[in-house]
C-alpha cells in the first residue's frame, strides 16, 4: 500500500501494481488524480517519495507512473474464490503514513438482477466488506478507494472501489460497508484503461 498526495497535502490510497525496468506503476483513484496530474507524489512504506504522472485512467481507478523504487513490492493477487472471512485494509492516516484496519468480507459477490430479473452487467466483479473507516478528502472523495484488501495470508483479494449503504452505519456500530473489485477482474479493468495499440502496456495488466 502507498499514499498518493498532491502539492497541497491532500491524499488518498494506492498500491504498487508493477515495478520493473525504469518505472514503478501505482494504482489509485481517478477522482483524486483528475486535475492534479502535474502535482502528484507517491509516498512508499519506507517514506521514500517519488513524483508521479498519470499514465492511464478509467471511471474508478487511475494508473500512475513514477521512477522505479527498487525496494517496493507489487501486490500479490489471491487465487481462488473470495469467501466470508476476515480481511485487512491499510488506510492512510496522513500524507505520508498509514495504519491497518481489520474488517470482514460479508458478501463474496454483488452479482444482482434488475426488476425484470436480468443480470446486471459487471455486478459480479465486486464483493462487500465491513471497514471502520469513513474519512473523506476536501472534495468528498473516499480516501480508501484504491487500497488493496488483504486476506490473513497476505494475498490481495481485491481493491476498495467505494462505499455503499451508509444507512446501515448505525446498525453496524460505526462500520461502513465497502465495495471492492475482485482481483480476478483486475486484468479486464486494466485492459480497458490502457491503449489498445500498445502491446507493451498490456504486460502491466498481466502481472
Amino acid at each position: 500500500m502507498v499514499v498518493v498526495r498532491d502539492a497541497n497535502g491532500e491524499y488518498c490510497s494506492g498500491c504498487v501494481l508493477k515495478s520493473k525496468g525504469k518505472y514503478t506503476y501505482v494504482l489509485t483513484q481517478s477522482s483524486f488524480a483528475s486535475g492534479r496530474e502535474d502535482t502528484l507524489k507517491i509516498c512508499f512504506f519506507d517514506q521514500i517519495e517519488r513524483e508521479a504522472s498519470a499514465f492511464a485512467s478509467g471511471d474508478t481507478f487511475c494508473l500512475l507512473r513514477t521512477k522505479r523504487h527498487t525496494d517496493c513490492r507489487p501486490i500479490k493477487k489471491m487465487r481462488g474464490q473470495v469467501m466470508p472471512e476476515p480481511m485487512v485494509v491499510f488506510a492512510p492516516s496522513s500524507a505520508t503514513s498509514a495504519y491497518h484496519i481489520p474488517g470482514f468480507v460479508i458478501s463474496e459477490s454483488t452479482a444482482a438482477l434488475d426488476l425484470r430479473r436480468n443480470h446486471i452487467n459487471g455486478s459480479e466483479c465486486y464483493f462487500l466488506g465491513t471497514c471502520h473507516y469513513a474519512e473523506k478528502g476536501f472534495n468528498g472523495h473516499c480516501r480508501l478507494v484504491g487500497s488493496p484488501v488483504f486476506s490473513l495470508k497476505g494475498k490481495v483479494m481485491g481493491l476498495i472501489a467505494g462505499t455503499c449503504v451508509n444507512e446501515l452505519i448505525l446498525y453496524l456500530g460505526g462500520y461502513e460497508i465497502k465495495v471492492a473489485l475482485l482481483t480476478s477482474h483486475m486484468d479486464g479493468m486494466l485492459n480497458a484503461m490502457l491503449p489498445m495499440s500498445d502491446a507493451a502496456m498490456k504486460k502491466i495488466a498481466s502481472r
Side-chain angles (χ1 to χ4, degrees), residues 134-203:
E135 287 191 24
K136 292 180 171 58
F138 298 143
N139 65 351
H141 69 269
C142 175
R143 297 192 197 277
L144 209 56
V145 172
S147 182
V149 179
F150 292 90
S151 69
L152 295 186
K153 294 182 179 180
K155 297 298 179 65
V156 173
M157 297 187 283
L159 299 171
I160 298 293
T163 300
C164 72
V165 201
N166 287 326
E167 293 79 4
L168 290 181
I169 292 177
L170 295 176
Y171 301 99
L172 294 170
Y175 279 74
E176 285 198 327
I177 306 296
K178 302 298 183 186
V179 182
L181 176 72
L182 289 158
T183 52
S184 57
H185 293 277
M186 279 180 58
D187 288 354
M189 177 269 294
L190 288 167
N191 283 334
M193 286 169 51
L194 297 171
M196 297 296 292
S197 60
D198 197 327
M201 293 181 182
K202 294 295 183 182
K203 295 181 181 179

Side-chain angles (χ1 to χ4, degrees), residues 10-11 13 23 49 52 55 59-60 85 87 95 107 118 129 140 148 180 186 188 190 196:
E10 178 65 324
Y11 58 92
S13 304
Y23 303 107
E49 280 195 333
F55 186 66
D59 293 336
T60 303
E85 59 182 295
M87 69 183 207
S107 177
N118 296 315
M186 279 180 58
L190 288 167
M196 297 296 292

Side-chain angles (χ1 to χ4, degrees), residues 39-96:
T39 66
L40 296 173
K41 287 189 176 182
I42 298 169
C43 182
F44 294 91
F45 72 97
D46 54 5
Q47 301 299 299
I48 296 295
E49 280 195 333
R50 293 275 195 271
E51 293 185 353
S53 59
F55 186 66
S57 186
D59 293 336
T60 303
F61 301 105
C62 176
L63 193 63
L64 306 181
R65 186 172 70 176
T66 186
K67 181 181 177 181
R68 186 183 178 189
H69 180 37
T70 56
D71 292 332
C72 68
R73 293 184 179 181
I75 59 173
K76 293 183 178 180
K77 294 186 288 186
M78 185 182 82
R79 303 298 179 186
Q81 185 177 358
V82 171
M83 301 294 290
E85 59 182 295
M87 69 183 207
V88 176
V89 176
F90 286 84
S93 55
S94 72
T96 58

Side-chain angles (χ1 to χ4, degrees), residues 92-151:
S93 55
S94 72
T96 58
S97 61
Y99 65 103
H100 76 278
I101 302 175
F104 198 87
V105 176
I106 59 173
S107 177
E108 62 270 29
S109 174
T110 59
L113 305 177
D114 61 20
L115 294 177
R116 295 183 179 180
R117 301 194 64 77
N118 296 315
H119 173 69
I120 298 176
N121 188 38
S123 62
E124 74 283 358
C125 300
Y126 301 87
F127 66 94
L128 301 177
T130 59
C131 180
H132 190 61
Y133 186 88
E135 287 191 24
K136 292 180 171 58
F138 298 143
N139 65 351
H141 69 269
C142 175
R143 297 192 197 277
L144 209 56
V145 172
S147 182
V149 179
F150 292 90
S151 69

